[in-house]
Amino acid sequence: MANTINDVAKLAGVSRQTVSRAINDPDLLNKNTLEKVQRAIQILDYHPNITARFLANKRVKSIGLFMPFSADQVKQNLFFSSLSSSICQYCSHHDFVMQLFTSLPRADSSRLFVKLYKERQVGGLVLTCPSVTNDELIFLLSEKIPFIIVGRPGIASKQINYVDVDNVQAGVLAIEHLTQFGHVRIGFLNGPANMTLSADLHQGVTAAVGNHPSKLNIMEAETDLTLDSGYMEALRLLQSEERPTAIFTADDLLAVGVKKAADELGLSIPEDLSIISGVQTGWGNIFPCKLTHIDTQFDKLGDIAADHLVRLILDGETENLSKVLEVRLVEGQTCSFVRSSVQADE
């Protein structure tokens, strides 16, 4: 059985309150008393109950991170592992705890969040991958639960804190880059249609198409952001009568799926098919050559979200956060000019 704070107090010859003070406010004790308590803690290998400390301080120093995807999707997508890792690291440096939740129905997730918050198991929430219409956000606002969104919320409100990357500009940069190489038949593997990420990428692609007097043929397909869906949709596009000469993917895991399909069909990259990814989370590093991609600074999202939520939990009131990170194109070796034979066929 683990030793308790009462055991420490007995061994040190002090009160329970003195032991608590030594742990939480050591500067309030004289040196000799503090040393006795610390020695007793070391001898007994006592570890304070962190949950009890949080409740005693009337602050629930715990963050709930919600990812509305299946465990398999979360495991495959390195965006989620990077996000959870950065939030977890931030929490550990600020004496907070992170709890991870995945793949809950929307109605169930809303009820769970309220339960966790009211039972003081979490002090606030980090929500990811918001949908275009997000009824649960209105529910969380009505329940006055502190939260921040990683991604653009589907509803506009000054009360909603969020941090995102400029996915509209990412779509523009990707298509503009491909047109500079002469591509007019372009495949576009987007994410799930209900996500604001997908809506923003689509908006950017559409804006880029409108910038060109010559008609671009954009072949858009919806995926669930997994390797298999990227492979299957790329295979379908590349086996069509007018196959695309380039494919823009929402992320680099889909780009790996595209390469798998291209290899199966005997297409070389970039000679037969150009590829550009909307973000490189890590999977793009397995390409034999450097993947052309959009640098979205996505690795900063976790720190920004955690910092704002922690201040919201501790201070109660903070300025509204509506931050969108800039993006830039990083040129690799997966894009090239359309072959003259292909141009002639057009």
Side-chain angles (χ1 to χ4, degrees):
M1 181 181 295
N3 290 300
T4 67
I5 191 171
N6 291 328
D7 297 323
V8 175
K10 184 176 180 179
L11 181 60
V14 299
S15 68
R16 175 192 176 99
Q17 290 75 16
T18 300
V19 176
S20 178
R21 195 172 294 119
I23 295 170
N24 298 306
D25 297 296
D27 293 339
L28 298 180
L29 296 180
N30 66 58
K31 183 178 179 182
N32 290 337
T33 301
L34 181 60
E35 287 179 352
K36 283 197 300 182
V37 174
Q38 289 176 337
R39 189 160 54 249
I41 288 174
Q42 184 177 11
I43 292 171
L44 296 174
D45 191 28
Y46 170 68
H47 299 280
N49 185 321
I50 192 167
T51 302
R53 287 174 60 192
F54 293 164
L55 293 175
N57 291 331
K58 297 183 179 180
R59 293 170 179 166
V60 185
K61 300 176 74 173
S62 175
I63 287 176
L65 172 61
F66 178 55
M67 299 176 177
F69 286 102
S70 68
D72 188 53
Q73 287 173 305
V74 172
K75 283 189 293 184
Q76 285 193 48
N77 199 310
L78 295 181
F79 167 79
F80 295 126
S81 60
S82 176
L83 180 68
S84 58
S85 176
S86 61
I87 292 176
C88 185
Q89 188 173 41
Y90 185 94
C91 286
S92 66
H93 289 160
H94 293 79
D95 202 21
F96 266 66
V97 172
M98 185 194 81
Q99 300 183 59
L100 178 62
F101 305 92
T102 63
S103 189
L104 293 170
R106 299 226 177 257
D108 292 342
S109 65
S110 297
R111 286 195 293 267
L112 174 63
F113 296 153
V114 172
K115 180 176 182 293
L116 292 172
Y117 181 71
K118 291 189 174 180
E119 291 181 355
R120 297 175 61 77
Q121 296 185 55
V122 297
L125 301 166
V126 177
L127 308 177
T128 62
C129 302
S131 64
V132 176
T133 57
N134 238 333
D135 294 336
E136 67 265 31
L137 297 185
I138 299 175
F139 183 70
L140 293 175
L141 286 173
S142 67
E143 293 290 333
K144 302 187 185 311
I145 298 177
F147 69 91
I148 184 170
I149 301 175
V150 176
R152 178 180 65 81
I155 54 177
S157 171
K158 291 183 178 180
Q159 294 177 281
I160 297 178
N161 297 293
Y162 74 94
V163 58
D164 196 12
V165 303
D166 194 344
N167 289 304
V168 174
Q169 183 63 13
V172 171
L173 290 176
I175 300 303
E176 290 289 352
H177 186 70
L178 292 174
T179 58
Q180 290 173 11
F181 285 98
H183 295 282
V184 295
R185 294 200 305 264
I186 300 172
F188 172 30
L189 299 191
N190 205 352
N194 67 321
M195 289 173 54
T196 55
L197 159 71
S198 306
D200 289 349
L201 287 173
H202 176 83
Q203 181 182 339
V205 169
T206 302
V209 170
N211 293 335
H212 291 270
S214 59
K215 185 171 181 177
L216 299 180
N217 182 9
I218 304 295
M219 293 162 266
E220 183 172 355
E222 180 182 354
T223 74
D224 62 3
L225 299 176
T226 61
L227 177 64
D228 284 345
S229 66
Y231 163 73
M232 293 301 296
E233 291 300 332
L235 201 62
R236 181 180 64 80
L237 289 175
L238 295 175
Q239 289 178 319
S240 61
E241 288 188 10
E242 291 192 343
R243 72 168 180 84
T245 59
I247 295 181
F248 167 47
T249 64
D251 67 13
D252 56 350
L253 181 58
L254 295 178
V256 174
V258 173
K259 186 179 185 308
K260 179 182 177 182
D263 290 344
E264 188 174 306
L265 297 174
L267 300 175
S268 299
I269 298 169
E271 293 81 9
D272 300 316
L273 179 69
S274 292
I275 301 177
I276 182 169
S277 169
V279 61
Q280 181 158 314
T281 62
W283 286 114
N285 293 327
I286 71 174
F287 270 70
C289 56
K290 184 178 178 181
L291 175 65
T292 299
H293 66 279
I294 307 298
D295 176 12
T296 62
Q297 306 184 74
F298 82 96
D299 52 320
K300 297 180 180 179
L301 295 176
D303 283 339
I304 295 172
D307 179 70
H308 189 81
L309 186 58
V310 164
R311 288 189 289 111
L312 185 60
I313 293 171
L314 295 180
D315 302 334
E317 295 291 340
T318 62
E319 292 184 3
N320 176 263
L321 180 68
S322 303
K323 190 174 183 65
V324 178
L325 304 183
E326 295 181 357
V327 300
R328 67 184 182 93
L329 185 134
V330 178
E331 191 164 2
Q333 290 91 40
T334 56
C335 293
S336 68
F337 286 95
V338 181
R339 282 183 171 181
S340 57
S341 59
V342 177
Q343 290 174 327
D345 291 339
E346 295 173 357

